Amino acid sequence: MRFPKPLYVDKFQQVSAEVKLNSGEPVVVYTISQTLTDEEKNEWAKHILHHYITDADIETGAKTNNLSKAEYIKSFVLPSIELRKGSEVSGVFGEIVFSDFIEYVLDYVVPRYKRFNTYPGNPNQGIDIVAYKLDKENQDKDVVLFAEIKARLSCQDFHQLQKAINDAEKRSDRKCAIALDSARRKLRSMGNFDEAQDIARFADSEKTCIRIKSAGLITAAKNCTSDDFASHDSFMGVNISSGKKIETHVIFANDLMNLAKDLWERACL
């Protein structure tokens, strides 16, 4: 399922300082500008909602259950903001933000299939994000990316990146193959046959391609600047194991939990 580029994506700003993990590898850090208009927030909220359901299905579902659209979305579609103290919403928010970042900033194709027509509050298992790039001139240079994402919206916690790295390191070839096949089957069931065919290309172990593992963190942070990241120890103790190759990205912004709650409320309007 391909979505138009959300307006908020233009708010991503890369931190200019050279930032490294404790083990010496570079980590790419972005922030999200807080100057979001109501229009941008409303569009972002609908963007999140459309990961779960189409507008036509909202109409049908609300009529079938004798509910308003807002009641139907809140009760039948989106996970509750109160569920497990917001942890489910944090995870969903983090994965969707990183899906947008990987697609619109890093220029991958990110199929949006994991939450479509799923039971609200039922976390999806497996690899968080599967993305890919196709090289029109040389298929051997096609790239598939497997990303593990952690979210800490209520407070600043850059060390959560270690958990994402650990998960990425544990993803065996078999688990990656299972994730690809799951994506292929779900995309076909959604009628997204082109993306399903693209995913099938990477599932074929006899075809050469570039495979990348990635770890991402989205966290709340106050007033962090490029100089802060160059001087403080946010990533001290965060390591990639020797011999492992993991790309790392961090996105931060102030007051993310309240932003997520606001977007969830707007999605129901």
Side-chain angles (χ1 to χ4, degrees):
M1 181 177 296
R2 304 302 301 275
F3 294 125
K5 177 183 174 182
L7 295 172
Y8 90 91
V9 169
D10 291 331
K11 303 293 184 178
F12 283 121
Q13 297 177 350
Q14 186 172 2
V15 172
S16 59
E18 181 180 352
V19 184
K20 291 186 177 182
L21 302 179
N22 189 60
S23 50
E25 297 84 359
V27 53
V28 179
V29 182
Y30 276 75
T31 186
I32 302 174
S33 168
Q34 290 298 293
T35 56
L36 293 166
T37 66
D38 279 339
E39 178 188 4
E40 289 166 337
K41 289 180 180 179
N42 289 336
E43 187 210 44
W44 192 352
K46 292 303 179 185
H47 175 68
I48 291 171
L49 178 61
H50 289 155
H51 282 72
Y52 288 86
I53 194 170
T54 64
D55 288 335
D57 281 342
I58 293 171
E59 293 271 2
T60 302
K63 289 180 180 178
T64 300
N65 292 279
N66 295 314
L67 296 171
S68 68
K69 292 181 184 179
E71 291 170 330
Y72 177 70
I73 292 168
K74 185 171 290 187
S75 299
F76 285 74
V77 180
L78 291 180
S80 169
I81 197 75
E82 289 81 22
L83 186 66
R84 292 190 293 277
K85 297 182 179 180
S87 62
E88 171 67 4
V89 167
S90 294
V92 171
F93 181 79
E95 288 185 24
I96 291 176
V97 169
F98 259 97
S99 293
D100 293 335
F101 172 78
I102 291 169
E103 180 158 1
Y104 300 111
V105 177
L106 302 185
D107 200 28
Y108 282 80
V109 176
V110 183
R112 313 299 177 107
Y113 62 90
K114 284 189 68 177
R115 290 177 173 80
F116 194 73
N117 285 343
T118 55
Y119 186 84
N122 182 27
N124 283 267
Q125 301 300 312
I127 293 172
D128 292 332
I129 298 171
V130 176
Y132 62 90
K133 293 181 181 180
L134 300 179
D135 190 304
K136 295 180 180 179
E137 297 182 358
N138 185 352
Q139 289 189 345
D140 289 351
K141 294 183 179 180
D142 291 349
V143 181
V144 61
L145 179 143
F146 304 96
E148 294 293 345
I149 308 302
K150 296 299 179 186
R152 183 58 64 90
L153 306 188
S154 59
C155 63
Q156 177 176 312
D157 189 355
F158 292 105
H159 289 82
Q160 287 291 315
L161 181 61
Q162 184 67 65
K163 293 184 178 181
I165 291 171
N166 293 345
D167 286 349
E169 289 182 349
K170 292 175 185 175
R171 294 309 184 191
S172 63
D173 290 345
R174 175 172 171 74
K175 288 182 178 179
C176 291
I178 291 171
L180 287 169
D181 191 63
S182 175
R184 179 190 61 79
R185 287 185 283 112
K186 184 67 179 287
L187 288 165
R188 283 189 62 83
S189 72
M190 295 166 61
N192 292 350
F193 298 111
D194 289 343
E195 287 184 355
Q197 184 175 346
D198 290 341
I199 290 292
R201 173 260 178 276
F202 293 104
D204 188 341
S205 60
E206 294 184 358
K207 292 185 178 179
T208 302
C209 67
I210 299 168
R211 294 172 178 263
I212 296 174
K213 293 181 181 179
S214 172
L217 168 69
I218 181 167
T219 184
K222 294 182 178 180
N223 303 320
C224 285
T225 66
S226 294
D227 290 338
D228 291 328
F229 278 105
S231 61
H232 70 30
D233 62 350
S234 289
F235 299 106
M236 288 300 294
V238 178
N239 297 281
I240 296 174
S241 299
S242 178
K244 300 286 187 178
K245 292 184 178 180
I246 308 289
E247 291 187 354
T248 54
H249 299 88
V250 171
I251 298 171
F252 73 90
N254 188 30
D255 206 18
L256 280 172
M257 181 55 81
N258 283 330
L259 173 61
K261 290 179 178 179
D262 183 21
L263 295 175
W264 248 247
E265 291 300 320
R266 290 170 184 263
C268 296
L269 298 178

